[in-house]
Amino acid sequence: MTNCKISEKKFQHPVLAAFAKRFGEAHINLACHAAFPLALTPELLYCLRENFQPDVEWIAVADILLFLCDPVGYQLYELPKEVRKELLVYLIECFGKGRLCESDHNLCDFMVAYIRQQLKSNARADQDLGAAPHWTALAYIRPKQAVRDIAEALKKALAQDNPGEWVRLTSLVESYADIDPLIQSGFQPLLVLARGWDAKIRGQEEVAVAEFNQLGQPGEQIEVGGIRFEIPPAKNEPTFKFEVVTVNAKGKITKRETKQAKYFTEKLGKNVTLEMVAIPGGTFMMGSPETEAERYDDESPQHEVTVPSFFMGKYPVTQAQWRFVAALEQVNRELDPDPSHFKGDNLPVEQISWYEAVEFCDRLSEYTGKHYRLPSEAEWEYACRAGTTTPFHFGETITSDLANYNAEYSYGDSPKGKSRNKTTPVGSFGVSNAFGLYDMHGNVWEWCADHWQDDYKCAPKDGIAWIDESKNENDNQKSRLLRGGSWPDDPRNCRSACRHYDDIPDFRNSRFGFRVVVSAART
């Protein structure tokens, strides 16, 4: 017995309305049961008839498949989404929610038993029936497990770089959009993620951005059903490969790895480019542990900081890059196009004051339409460490074969090396950290946006620049931070945690350069 009369029901979808008018209540009652699986075969529809509507004439199976469904494979059919949705509403109205999962005779149990039986003779029965139809049953019986299973399938499709499979799974996910138990179990982010990737694969970049922005910033991690996903950039960023080395306490290379990272390139002029490397967001311990050799007290207390994703210059700003930007229209102050003591297009620009580095960022922002800036101190250390906790991103020590510093001094058990007594071309040592950044130890000190603080007490934990509003830019309390060490510095000052400052942001020195960052949402 049902609680509905077909004569009292008005279907919105024209095909469904025509079907009801032509075939009547018995056909509709079977059709609403056929809406429960995501896909149908003639055999499955016959089984639904035998188990739930045995009094319906057998020809109704053919009528439903031919009149309401679309063929999607060999003996495989699907109801259009809107037709399926309306029939499921009718199913609940007429037979109650118990028909779905709660009664002794329900569709969830039927589908699970049916799939198990089919798998005995066909290991691909779940795929043949339209992408794991048992998920439909789980959506009502164990929705949290269904969310996890679907998330795992989506993650696998992404890992395999299989656009066709992702589009198919997106269609599947869309079919679950109105199942309340799933939505209440955290399914919505999967739906948004699936829509975003579907749009991205189809080249609909603006749609993809709108979907992904609902989840967070590119590069951030989200967790759905216990499965972690990274929010992708709107466009497919190009990648580059680089070599990363690890040394032991004596400076001997014990490991070599080839990694890759995403980046984008700014064209600044003829044969002049600026490469910006994608730095994924994450959490790290900022500062040095008390056990670290030759540490300074101002590197305490060590504290946890969470840094959003951003892009950072692959190298310190070069003299060629500086010369191009210095020729752009002034924003706040004049720039000397050739300030460096050591000359060379591919050498890092030096003798740059903090104010001049900010002016460079302002002019570059005007030129590109992106918000370029100096990194915060937290961003700089996070980017330098690239997941390491050792004094250097190379490991326990550093050698003059890997970086440019005063190698008349050594760190730990490493040997002394070659001191060059000048800057070296950016990237000339051929090895980077695990994020793909070069020259993070030595060559030139790099300006950061922050005011200097004597320690990390009350330091921000979100990666932003620590700006002390009480410090008047017209008095002597306007010291700005530098990081990374430089060519005449001993290795102690080139450690990842080492901090330096200058009392006068207008001061220039052949040790002082900088590199730029831009937020992950670049436009």
Side-chain angles (χ1 to χ4, degrees), residues 81-82 84-86 88-89 92 140 173-183 187-188 191 195:
K81 179 181 176 182
E82 294 304 319
R84 181 173 181 269
K85 181 179 178 180
E86 197 167 354
L88 286 173
V89 171
I92 294 172
Y140 292 95
V173 170
E174 286 284 359
S175 70
Y176 292 140
D178 300 313
I179 298 180
D180 287 338
L182 275 185
I183 298 300
F187 181 70
Q188 187 65 25
L191 183 61
R195 289 170 176 169

Side-chain angles (χ1 to χ4, degrees), residues 122-134:
N122 179 7
R124 291 181 49 84
D126 55 346
Q127 285 83 7
D128 291 346
L129 287 169
H134 60 280

Side-chain angles (χ1 to χ4, degrees), residues 265-333:
T265 301
E266 293 284 13
K267 294 182 179 180
L268 301 183
K270 186 177 180 180
N271 299 324
V272 180
T273 59
L274 172 65
E275 293 176 289
M276 300 296 295
V277 180
I279 309 299
T283 299
F284 80 114
M285 292 301 294
M286 186 172 180
S288 61
E290 294 184 2
T291 55
E292 185 165 304
E294 301 186 48
R295 68 188 296 272
Y296 293 102
D297 290 341
D298 58 42
E299 298 163 19
S300 296
Q302 205 173 19
H303 57 292
E304 186 175 272
V305 180
T306 298
V307 180
S309 58
F310 60 100
F311 286 80
M312 191 175 209
K314 183 189 290 188
Y315 312 109
V317 171
T318 67
Q319 293 177 34
Q321 294 164 346
W322 174 270
R323 190 161 50 249
F324 176 86
V325 173
L328 298 175
E329 184 176 354
Q330 177 178 330
V331 176
N332 291 306
R333 60 177 54 221

Side-chain angles (χ1 to χ4, degrees), residues 10-19 68 80-83 86:
K10 293 184 178 179
F11 292 103
Q12 299 299 314
H13 197 286
V15 172
L16 194 54
F19 181 84
L68 290 180
K81 179 181 176 182
E82 294 304 319
V83 171
E86 197 167 354

Side-chain angles (χ1 to χ4, degrees), residues 24-275:
E25 183 174 334
H27 274 57
I28 283 291
N29 287 343
L30 179 57
C32 69
H33 287 77
F36 185 78
L38 289 175
L40 294 164
T41 64
E43 181 187 11
L44 173 56
L45 192 46
Y46 275 119
C47 287
L48 285 167
R49 169 185 168 273
E50 292 171 6
N51 281 269
F52 295 97
Q53 297 290 298
D55 295 334
V56 177
E57 55 184 335
W58 68 269
I59 195 65
V61 171
D63 293 334
I64 290 170
L65 294 176
L66 296 175
F67 201 97
L68 290 180
C69 296
D70 297 321
V72 294
Y74 176 69
Q75 292 192 347
L76 185 65
Y77 300 83
E78 287 182 359
L79 288 162
K81 179 181 176 182
E82 294 304 319
V83 171
R84 181 173 181 269
K85 181 179 178 180
E86 197 167 354
L87 283 171
L88 286 173
V89 171
Y90 180 81
L91 176 70
I92 294 172
E93 289 177 353
C94 294
F95 296 89
K97 289 186 177 180
R99 177 55 59 93
L100 294 175
C101 289
E102 298 170 4
S103 66
D104 293 336
H105 188 50
N106 65 71
L107 285 160
C108 290
D109 290 343
F110 165 80
M111 283 302 302
V112 171
Y114 181 82
I115 294 299
R116 286 174 179 168
Q117 180 62 35
Q118 291 296 308
L119 286 172
K120 292 179 180 179
S121 58
N122 179 7
R124 291 181 49 84
D126 55 346
Q127 285 83 7
D128 291 346
L129 287 169
H134 60 280
W135 289 345
T136 308
L138 288 175
Y140 292 95
I141 302 172
R142 292 185 292 276
K144 290 184 179 179
Q145 181 180 336
V147 171
R148 181 176 181 84
D149 287 356
I150 297 169
E152 286 180 340
L154 294 177
K155 185 80 171 183
K156 183 178 180 181
L158 282 177
Q160 293 175 341
D161 192 21
N162 188 341
E165 178 67 4
W166 185 268
V167 170
R168 186 179 74 86
L169 288 174
T170 298
S171 177
L172 168 69
V173 170
E174 286 284 359
S175 70
Y176 292 140
D178 300 313
I179 298 180
D180 287 338
L182 275 185
I183 298 300
Q184 294 169 9
S185 299
F187 181 70
Q188 187 65 25
L190 271 186
L191 183 61
V192 175
L193 192 69
R195 289 170 176 169
W197 268 105
D198 184 65
K200 186 176 177 66
I201 289 168
R202 297 175 188 275
Q204 300 168 343
E205 300 292 350
E206 293 184 2
V207 176
V209 169
E211 295 292 345
F212 292 143
N213 282 348
Q214 297 180 54
L215 301 174
Q217 292 294 319
E220 290 183 8
Q221 299 279 329
I222 62 169
E223 186 172 304
V224 186
I227 307 300
R228 296 188 68 82
F229 293 90
E230 180 177 307
I231 302 172
K235 295 182 179 180
N236 292 318
E237 306 289 353
T239 61
F240 70 99
K241 293 183 178 180
F242 50 90
E243 185 178 34
V244 179
V245 300
T246 302
V247 301
N248 62 18
K250 294 185 177 181
K252 181 179 178 180
I253 294 176
T254 58
K255 186 177 182 181
R256 290 183 181 271
E257 294 179 276
T258 299
K259 294 181 176 289
Q260 65 178 19
K262 296 179 180 179
Y263 76 108
F264 73 92
T265 301
E266 293 284 13
K267 294 182 179 180
L268 301 183
K270 186 177 180 180
N271 299 324
V272 180
T273 59
L274 172 65
E275 293 176 289

